[in-house]
Amino acid sequence: MSEPTGGFERATLEAMRRFLAIAFVVGGAGTLTELFLLEHTEDFWQWTPLVLIGMSIVAFVALGARPTKSAVRITQALMVLVLLSGALGVFFHFKGNIEFEKEMYPSMTGFELIWESLTGATPSLAPGAMALLGLVGLIYCYRHPAVRTVQV
């Protein structure tokens, strides 16, 4: 005979969802602060993660205050954009470092060029934090109660 666990499982899922929301908001605020401190504001592409994180934090707060299906969908869309922004950021940082290394050392190729580009002046993998934030947000939205439909 199995014990009724519906209430316990529901409470666990709600707690995990709250922890994910807190992780996103704290991580987003920290990343946003870091980008401002680094003056990551020179052009459109550098402003993109700042705007996306800001909008995402607002979306999370709104979703927490009023969980509706449309709020979940907006948050999911923003999370996909945050994830893509992180992937593009890794690409742009790495590409910029390769160009810099090739300008400084035109004969550099192969593994040495890749290594120097990964460890260059612009942190190549730092935008991966954006991708992680996007994944955390998508996990938060996964099977969110506000989008569940009642089945008879």
Side-chain angles (χ1 to χ4, degrees):
M1 178 179 219
S2 66
E3 295 181 13
T5 58
F8 177 76
E9 289 173 356
R10 187 175 16 259
T12 300
L13 289 172
E14 288 171 7
M16 290 176 67
R17 197 175 304 282
R18 276 193 302 275
F19 291 142
L20 287 167
I22 291 167
F24 181 87
V25 172
V26 171
T31 302
L32 191 62
T33 302
E34 180 77 13
L35 290 172
F36 271 119
L37 291 173
L38 292 172
E39 298 177 359
H40 198 272
T41 56
E42 289 180 16
D43 61 23
F44 171 81
W45 291 111
Q46 287 192 350
W47 272 99
T48 302
L50 296 164
V51 171
L52 284 173
I53 292 171
M55 290 173 61
S56 297
I57 290 171
V58 169
F60 261 88
V61 171
L63 180 55
R66 189 154 190 247
T68 63
K69 185 176 182 176
S70 60
V72 173
R73 296 298 184 218
I74 289 168
T75 303
Q76 285 174 319
L78 282 167
M79 293 305 100
V80 169
L81 292 174
V82 168
L83 197 150
L84 291 173
S85 172
L88 280 172
V90 169
F91 171 76
F92 285 139
H93 281 210
F94 185 67
K95 182 178 178 240
N97 283 347
I98 283 180
E99 291 169 0
F100 177 78
E101 294 297 334
K102 290 297 281 180
E103 189 174 309
M104 295 293 292
Y105 310 100
S107 63
M108 188 182 295
T109 60
F111 182 76
E112 183 181 20
L113 176 61
I114 292 170
W115 181 257
E116 292 301 322
S117 297
L118 285 172
T119 61
T122 305
S124 294
L125 302 178
M130 288 285 292
L132 181 60
L133 284 173
L135 286 173
V136 167
L138 287 172
I139 294 167
Y140 171 87
C141 292
Y142 179 71
R143 297 183 70 178
H144 193 282
V147 293
R148 289 194 192 134
T149 57
V150 178
Q151 296 180 357
V152 179

